[in-house]
């Protein structure tokens, strides 16, 4: 198994934790020098805080671990394409690269609705790779929303 898939599987484990809490199942891990230094999943429902996305929480944890807001030479693996808030945080944190499981056609800001990482000139460029374990990432989201619809009826 390639490292990309190994790390995305870890992000999927985080997404499943969110699923169990009835949060939108998004998970993220941050890797530096071949080691996971931070992991997180969505908790915005639990905390009633729109900023508690998996990416934002993982960035905070990695910054705390490294004692530096600059996450140079770090890579994020995230199961769903980041929104504009999270894409902005990737740029500001100086993340080297982000690997995305599946795209978000509704609010994605790394290629779906817009691409903050490529289409604009900022002081830092974040590399981007998509489609890592895409089917597994999509399936978890589909199961989640199907379950929500069933519970509402």
């Amino acid at each position: 198994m390639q490292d990309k898939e190994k790390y995305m599987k870890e992000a999927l484990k985080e997404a499943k934790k969110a699923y169990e809490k009835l949060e939108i199942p998004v998970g993220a891990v941050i890797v530096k020098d071949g080691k996971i230094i931070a992991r997180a999943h969505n908790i915005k429902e639990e905390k009633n805080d729109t900023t508690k996305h998996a990416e934002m929480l993982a960035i905070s944890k990695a910054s705390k671990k490294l004692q530096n807001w600059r996450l140079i030479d770090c890579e994020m693996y995230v199961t769903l394409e980041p929104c504009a808030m999270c894409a902005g945080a990737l740029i500001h944190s100086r993340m080297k690269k982000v690997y995305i499981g599946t795209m978000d056609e509704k609010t994605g800001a790394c290629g779906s609705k817009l691409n903050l990482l490529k289409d604009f000139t900022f002081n830092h460029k974040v590399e981007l790779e998509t489609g890592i374990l895409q089917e597994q990432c999509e399936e978890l989201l589909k199961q989640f929303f199907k379950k929500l619809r069933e519970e509402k009826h």
Side-chain angles (χ1 to χ4, degrees):
M1 178 187 337
Q2 289 186 334
D3 281 349
K4 289 186 270 190
E5 291 179 0
K6 177 178 90 173
Y7 295 129
M8 190 60 76
K9 282 186 178 182
E10 293 300 315
L12 273 164
K13 286 180 187 176
E14 288 297 314
K16 288 172 184 169
K17 291 177 187 176
Y19 184 106
E20 296 303 318
K21 296 177 180 180
L22 297 179
E23 298 272 359
I24 295 176
V26 178
V29 299
I30 296 178
V31 176
K32 181 173 173 62
D33 300 326
K35 292 183 181 155
I36 295 174
I37 61 165
R39 52 179 67 234
H41 56 274
N42 278 359
I43 56 169
K44 84 179 187 181
E45 297 292 336
E46 175 186 329
K47 298 294 184 183
N48 284 316
D49 185 339
T50 194
T51 66
K52 300 300 184 192
H53 288 199
E55 301 95 321
M56 301 293 284
L57 295 165
I59 287 169
S60 291
K61 289 177 179 181
S63 295
K64 188 174 181 179
K65 180 162 183 84
L66 297 177
Q67 297 184 341
N68 194 336
W69 63 266
R70 292 175 190 87
L71 301 180
I72 297 165
D73 296 326
C74 292
E75 298 176 328
M76 178 181 284
Y77 292 78
V78 62
T79 58
L80 182 65
E81 178 185 4
C83 68
M85 172 181 68
C86 295
L90 289 167
I91 294 164
H92 285 291
S93 70
R94 312 296 196 265
M95 191 73 59
K96 179 181 178 185
K97 186 168 184 173
V98 61
Y99 295 89
I100 298 170
T102 191
M103 302 305 276
D104 182 352
E105 299 299 327
K106 292 185 179 174
T107 63
C110 297
S112 290
K113 284 292 183 195
L114 71 146
N115 194 336
L116 286 176
L117 305 185
K118 296 232 185 278
D119 296 341
F120 300 90
T121 304
F122 292 108
N123 61 328
H124 178 74
K125 281 276 190 206
V126 180
E127 296 172 44
L128 175 66
E129 190 171 331
T130 63
I132 313 299
L133 298 182
Q134 183 174 343
E135 288 178 15
Q136 292 97 312
C137 294
E138 282 177 0
E139 188 57 34
L140 185 62
L141 287 159
K142 285 177 186 174
Q143 286 173 9
F144 176 77
F145 287 110
K146 182 180 178 192
K147 180 180 176 182
L148 275 187
R149 284 190 300 273
E150 288 171 356
E151 288 180 4
K152 286 185 178 180
H153 288 61

